[in-house]
Structure formats: structure tokens, C-alpha cells
Amino acid sequence: MQSSICSGLWKTLCFWGVGLSLLTLASACGETPPPPSAVSLNSLYNDEQPALSGDGRLLAFITNRNGGTEIAVYNLQTRQFVQLRGLNQPGAIAQRPSLSRTGRYIVYLVSDRGRPVIALYDQALERSEILNNSYRHWIRNPKISPDGRYIVFETSRRGQWDIEVLDRGPNIELDIEDGSPLMP
């Protein structure tokens, strides 16, 4: 008789314990979040090293969404990813993107035979080029000026981390907003 009372009491306690646990869990969680998607900005993928364009419209970051390390560009106004042909090369490991004013130019580090080099992507030409191929020292953290002419980066040329400025020259097309006057 005593075992049937204990058994019934145990079942009742288990029923109420599970019920209260589920009720607590449901109230703590609130609404169920939508499933993550590869087309949304926040997802289950590893996204890091964000950079904003000068006008605040584009966001570039490093992601593993397509199985490798590459640069993704997201339009914050339209809430869609921007497809940029020629930006991510197969087998290349990209890091530290930086965008010019409208995002026409993207400067980033890419591995070349195990050493980081600075690459520049031009959206108008849809191609990347290496800017410092003959540079023999370690570099890191490249940043491009809003107009796209200057690139600053850290270098170990003197045995310590110093800052260098790379001038792309006066004959490049500057990244300026439509209607903006050119400064000499």
C-alpha cells in the first residue's frame, strides 16, 4: 500500500515538475526566433572584422558562409548582400576589409605564398589587384581613405610595428559622391 502511494505521489510530482519547467521555459523564451538564414546579416555563420563604408550604406566583413574565408558585402539600406564578381578568389584567404566612401574601393589583406599582401578591389572594374607585391615585410590592418587615394597600414619593416601611407597617385578615379566638388 505504501509503495502505491509513493508511486502515485512520484508521478504527480514528476507531472507538475515537468509542467512547471515547460511553463517557465516558454515564458522565459517568449516568441520563437525565426530560423537563421544565409541571406540575413545575423546567422549561425562565423562573421567577423566588420567595416562600414564612409556613407554608412555598405558593410563588409569576413565570413565562412560559402565554406571558406571570404569577404561579404551587405547593403544596409536594402538589407541584401551585394554580389561582387572578382572580389573573392578561390583558395585565397581574405582579412581586414576597409571600404572607401561609397564602397567603390575595398582594400583588404590576402595571403600570397603565406605572406599577407594588400589587395584593392574596384567595383567599377570588377577586379582585384595586389598593391604591394614586391614588399618584403609583414603588414597588417590596411585602411583606405574615403576618397580611395590613400591606404594606411602597419608594417614591421624596422623590426617594430610602424605606420606607412601608400599614395595611389593623383590620376586615379576618386570615390566621391555625385555632385561633390573635387579638391586639388
Side-chain angles (χ1 to χ4, degrees):
M1 171 106 170
Q2 192 174 13
S3 70
S4 67
I5 292 174
C6 287
S7 174
L9 183 59
W10 178 250
K11 286 180 185 176
T12 304
L13 286 175
C14 285
F15 173 77
W16 282 106
V18 170
L20 285 174
S21 295
L22 289 174
L23 182 62
T24 303
L25 183 62
S27 65
C29 293
E31 199 173 289
T32 305
S37 168
V39 296
S40 67
L41 183 58
N42 293 314
S43 68
L44 292 178
Y45 295 98
N46 187 25
D47 299 331
E48 58 188 16
Q49 303 171 20
L52 279 173
S53 61
D55 62 8
R57 188 175 56 88
L58 296 178
L59 170 69
F61 56 94
I62 302 300
T63 185
N64 67 346
R65 291 168 188 250
N66 293 324
T69 304
E70 63 184 22
I71 298 173
V73 178
Y74 187 80
N75 187 317
L76 294 167
Q77 291 175 343
T78 64
R79 296 180 183 221
Q80 294 179 341
F81 282 94
V82 179
Q83 300 301 318
L84 300 174
R85 293 187 321 184
L87 175 60
N88 294 301
Q89 302 299 317
I93 299 173
Q95 293 184 342
R96 304 285 177 212
S98 175
L99 292 94
S100 59
R101 178 175 288 115
T102 66
R104 174 182 175 172
Y105 298 113
I106 303 172
V107 70
Y108 58 98
L109 287 180
V110 67
S111 180
D112 180 37
R113 291 172 280 194
R115 295 196 62 93
V117 293
I118 298 174
L120 176 98
Y121 178 78
D122 185 342
Q123 280 196 51
L125 301 176
E126 295 184 330
R127 68 174 182 176
S128 288
E129 66 177 299
I130 303 297
L131 297 180
N132 65 328
N133 209 11
S134 61
Y135 199 82
R136 304 242 183 265
H137 305 283
W138 287 99
I139 56 173
R140 66 184 186 187
N141 299 322
K143 303 287 182 213
I144 193 164
S145 64
D147 65 5
R149 178 172 174 176
Y150 300 98
I151 297 167
V152 296
F153 58 96
E154 297 173 43
T155 176
S156 67
R157 185 170 57 132
R158 296 184 326 132
Q160 66 184 26
W161 290 108
D162 291 317
I163 297 171
E164 290 196 26
V165 178
L166 184 126
D167 183 354
R168 295 181 54 218
N171 298 325
I172 66 156
E173 282 188 48
L174 297 177
D175 185 0
I176 58 172
E177 295 181 46
D178 291 339
S180 296
L182 290 175
M183 298 281 189

